[in-house]
Amino acid sequence: MPMLLGNPSYGKQLPFRFRTLTYGSPLPSFDIAYETWGTLSPERDNAILLHTGLSASSHAASTSVNSAPGWWEKFIGPGKALDTNQFFIICTNVIGGCYGSTGPSSIDPSTGRPYATNFPIVSIFDMVRAQFRLLDHLKVDKLYASVGCSMGGMQSLAAGWVHPERVGKIVSISGTARSSPSAVAMRYAQRSVLMADPNWNHGFYYDGLPPHTGMKLARQIATITYRSGPEWDLRFGRQMRPLPEQTPKQTPDKPECLLYGEQFCLKYDANSLIYISKAMDLFDLTASSLFANHLMPSAASSTSTLTPSTTHKSSHSKSHPPPVNPPPHLTDLAEGMLPLSTIPILVLGVQSDILFTVEQQREMADALRMAGNDRVSYYELGGVWGHDTFLIDVLNVGGAIRGFLS
């Protein structure tokens, strides 16, 4: 039985072992930091695994141990979307992270120093397998639901793909089944400016100054993709910012725009940003990609009934018409998503999202239906908040989740 390691900042941590990761490297041991809300039922059948976005910790909501508001504070609690009167909510910091789970800033037991860029490449599947080790420890044989937003949407799908027999329902909000080239390019740009900071030092900066400037620039690039053009226009437009009044002896405060991203730089590890964003780039549930990474026995199942004609037959929904010109990879994606064909799935997209576009949500719903899943619920939300809608629109996002889980 693994020993609990108490840490009030991260809830609890548990040590585990991996034989090999997706891309072949070993990770001899790792810790998983997690927090919980609500009460696990005697039958242990009311657990919901909540998956985080790229830079979030396990602290999704306030607790008696940590009263600070969590990153999904308005969605977790009595009577909320994830109702703690009904469900037992579990949230972890992913491996590769820097909030208690093992990542590049953790100590490599073989050297006694931080892993830095000697840390192995991790995948979304590795993150999910690590979470199931935790579920094994908690003696949760089957989840009531796997719920995730953004990168968490990738994890929620991966959880059902890895262990379809252990996941009752799936919620994917502003997620994707395969990273788009535009999103990959944007994250590549973020990593490039970060690694161009001389202080990055090929990742071995833990004994010196961190790459603060590179991190701040990377965060600025990312935030452009988190919101939408119409919202920027509503909030800022082309208005000139008035300078604060000052006397000749006063030193002017730094304009807010020059301080942008400061808090993020001070609390998040640069190498974790590199590793986790790369894991997002590599995520691809098409059969050909899964086969190439030895995750699927063959690139095309001999028993598959997928044909071009099933695209129009099975992808129809009230929210959007069947694709007139389906992308070439849609059948390949449907083939890869066959393990998800029996799980009820909620796909929630946002029309103003430019990072995980609404077309990707439609594609996901289409592929799932082509794979034979007739229990796919698909909705699109309006509004101007872009990708960050899952953090802001409590009424519509929360309502969709609550209805689906009930």
Side-chain angles (χ1 to χ4, degrees), residues 178 285-287 306-308 310-312 314-315 320 322-337 359-371:
R178 62 190 293 273
L285 284 179
T286 57
L306 299 177
T307 64
T310 57
T311 302
H312 287 248
S314 59
S315 67
H320 74 284
V324 177
N325 296 305
H329 61 264
L330 191 59
T331 302
D332 192 14
L333 181 59
E335 186 75 32
M337 298 181 83
E359 286 77 17
Q360 289 177 274
Q361 317 310 318
R362 296 172 182 173
E363 175 183 282
M364 191 191 309
D366 289 335
L368 285 165
R369 291 189 175 110
M370 287 176 63

Side-chain angles (χ1 to χ4, degrees), residues 95-129:
I95 58 169
C98 56
Y99 293 119
S101 293
T102 298
S105 59
S106 303
I107 298 300
D108 180 349
S110 66
T111 65
R113 301 179 62 82
Y115 281 101
T117 45
N118 287 328
F119 194 72
I121 299 295
V122 295
S123 72
I124 299 294
F125 294 103
D126 295 326
M127 297 173 185
V128 166
R129 290 191 180 102

